[in-house]
Amino acid sequence: MKINDIRTSEIYFGNRALSEAEHVIRTLGKRALVVTGRNSADESGAYPDIAGLLERNGISHVRYSGVRENPSVSSCFEGAELGRAEGCDFVIAAGGGSAIDAGKAAAFYLANPGSAREEIFNVTGDHSRPLPLLAVPTTAGTGSEANRYSVLTEDGGAKKHTYKTGYSYPSVSVVCPRYTYSMPEKYSLSTALDAFAHSIESYLSPKSTEQSREYAMSSASAIWDVLKDWPGPLNEEDREKLSRSAMYAGAAIDVTGTGFPHPMGYGLTLGYGVPHGSACALFEDAFIRYNMITKEGRRLLGEFCGSLNVSPEELGDRLMRLPGVELHIGQDTAEELISRVEAASNFRNSPYILSRGEMSDIYKRLFK
Ligand code: NAP
Ligand code: ZN
């Protein structure tokens, strides 16, 4: 089914979405650069389906499978170099958020030969628009299929930066819940927590609109239905709910951006290997508690939690415990991570703005 209420990309949703989108995909180009991670595009069934569609339509392709979790700028650049050498005129990204974000970056580099790697974080009017991009997610978390963000890790792995422009949306997205069935439980949980984090952080953002709050609220309710009884085997209905919710939560953050749990989570992902969504979830309890101090935060959390039928305290506690992460982080390392958080623009994106001392308290409480 074609999704009509998200206008960022042309989105097809459902287990037959790829064939429903075939007439559009065949207009994207004649030779595709297919960007994937190591295994997920094959294990999920997405790559064989895409290869079949391309062959049926006389479109050739070359595959770059060098994307890893938290994709490095260099891997995106390398993928684009392959695509350029092979004469590709559009990009297909199949995989989790890492592959889709890498596909967005490769589409930029391919359209801008001669640009340096780091130029992607300072796109100006002199740069060309990226090549067309088809996004096929195999996780249900980031919502990258419905937004303009591409979160990339600087070479060396110390920091994440976001590439985003008015043209960095996928041209077409195919969201097929069955491609998420093969996800291991660790990532099913982490990606669901990520989509939930997008919903709550977007809902509390001062930049939210009536529409973004509607996207955020509908996805939060559906994800909470699954998370409140976690763990449990996920059936097809749950998978569909999670894929749909991740997509709407992704559209919500396209309007608002995320809040401080995201930049706080990046340090745990890059430094300690905690998957992205689980890392953010650890900080949602603090996000809720501090925002409850403000009148506006209490009002918004009252609406949000009321509609999930859970108290703010119970919600925070559940989100913090679900990842099952136990870490010790020393004071010096915590101070270094905090400096990076302070430099992130989304750190101030909620009614309550944390002080440095409060961030320190959060790290002590969670990781002493
Ligand atoms: P991911 O990093 O893309 O994938 C995590 C792991 O799951 C990888 O090992 C991947 O394998 C595997 N995997 C993915 N789908 C699978 C499937 N269907 N079956 C089996 N294995 C599967 O995870 P993600 O949480 O979707 O993406 C996280 C990245 O997105 C981070 O870099 C984060 O910063 C970014 N992000 C972006 C946005 C945005 O709006 N653009 C929002 C939030 C987060 P392979 O290595 O084989 O692919
Ligand atoms: Zn996220």
Side-chain angles (χ1 to χ4, degrees):
M1 131 209 351
K2 188 160 178 227
I3 299 291
N4 292 316
D5 60 342
I6 298 178
R7 296 182 194 282
T8 51
S9 299
E10 187 161 346
I11 305 181
Y12 293 81
F13 182 89
N15 281 339
R16 290 184 324 192
L18 192 66
S19 49
E20 286 170 2
E22 189 157 343
H23 68 289
V24 192
I25 296 169
R26 70 164 79 99
T27 66
L28 294 177
K30 289 273 154 241
R31 184 158 172 75
L33 170 69
V34 180
V35 174
T36 71
R38 211 190 305 250
N39 303 310
S40 60
D42 298 281
E43 280 175 17
S44 62
Y47 178 68
D49 287 356
I50 291 165
L53 180 148
L54 296 177
E55 195 177 347
R56 255 194 324 275
N57 287 280
I59 300 170
S60 61
H61 76 276
V62 58
R63 179 169 172 182
Y64 175 75
S65 50
V67 180
R68 297 294 171 262
E69 288 180 43
N70 312 298
S72 67
V73 174
S74 281
S75 65
C76 305
F77 200 81
E78 187 181 277
E81 279 182 334
L82 172 69
R84 189 170 301 117
E86 292 281 342
C88 296
D89 56 1
F90 77 111
V91 178
I92 299 177
S98 295
I100 295 178
D101 288 0
K104 288 176 180 173
F108 168 83
Y109 288 129
L110 272 167
N112 290 282
S115 72
R117 286 168 171 71
E118 58 279 8
E119 266 179 64
I120 196 160
F121 302 118
N122 291 299
V123 178
T124 67
D126 294 336
H127 289 98
S128 301
R129 292 188 190 186
L131 293 192
L133 170 70
L134 165 66
V136 184
T138 64
T139 60
T142 70
S144 185
E145 65 275 13
N147 68 40
R148 77 199 119 133
Y149 305 125
S150 161
V151 185
L152 306 174
T153 304
E154 69 180 23
D155 296 341
K159 281 189 206 151
K160 288 197 174 202
H161 300 280
T162 302
Y163 153 58
K164 63 168 198 285
T165 74
Y167 306 108
S168 50
Y169 297 96
S171 323
V172 182
S173 293
V174 166
V175 184
C176 190
R178 93 185 132 81
Y179 294 150
T180 68
Y181 295 174
S182 55
M183 249 194 300
E185 180 170 329
K186 169 178 159 187
Y187 290 110
S188 294
L189 173 62
S190 171
T191 52
L193 287 169
D194 187 26
F196 193 88
H198 296 165
S199 302
I200 189 167
E201 291 168 37
S202 176
Y203 199 83
L204 263 72
S205 164
K207 295 184 216 152
S208 74
T209 61
E210 199 177 321
Q211 184 167 57
S212 72
R213 287 192 297 276
E214 208 177 291
Y215 291 157
M217 200 63 257
S218 65
S219 34
S221 311
I223 301 166
W224 183 242
D225 254 3
V226 178
L227 285 182
K228 70 179 193 302
D229 299 325
W230 193 277
L234 294 179
N235 59 30
E236 288 184 18
E237 199 188 321
D238 296 328
R239 292 287 188 189
E240 181 177 319
K241 263 192 213 170
L242 292 173
S243 287
R244 185 187 294 276
S245 308
M247 172 178 77
Y248 279 98
I253 57 167
D254 190 61
V255 177
T256 61
T258 51
F260 70 72
H262 265 72
M264 292 186 90
Y266 290 163
L268 300 191
T269 299
L270 296 179
Y272 301 86
V274 181
H276 169 68
S278 294
C280 297
L282 292 170
F283 296 100
E284 298 302 339
D285 183 57
F287 185 69
I288 291 171
R289 281 169 193 273
Y290 280 105
N291 276 297
M292 285 296 281
I293 295 173
T294 67
K295 191 172 167 206
E296 180 64 352
R298 276 197 302 281
R299 184 182 75 75
L300 290 167
L301 283 164
E303 286 171 8
F304 188 88
C305 294
S307 131
L308 304 186
N309 209 9
V310 63
S311 73
E313 294 73 22
E314 273 176 87
L315 178 62
D317 192 62
R318 179 100 179 118
L319 294 172
M320 182 173 60
R321 289 180 195 282
L322 269 169
V325 170
E326 281 195 24
L327 274 180
H328 169 72
I329 298 181
Q331 187 66 23
D332 290 352
T333 311
E335 291 304 321
E336 199 187 312
L337 295 178
I338 288 169
S339 301
R340 286 186 213 154
V341 176
E342 280 182 320
S345 58
N346 45 358
F347 151 61
R348 292 179 176 77
N349 195 16
S350 66
Y352 193 86
I353 298 173
L354 289 178
S355 69
R356 196 176 171 104
E358 286 162 344
M359 274 196 271
S360 223
D361 292 344
I362 295 172
Y363 278 96
K364 276 187 212 140
R365 182 166 165 250
L366 285 171
F367 312 118
K368 62 171 183 286

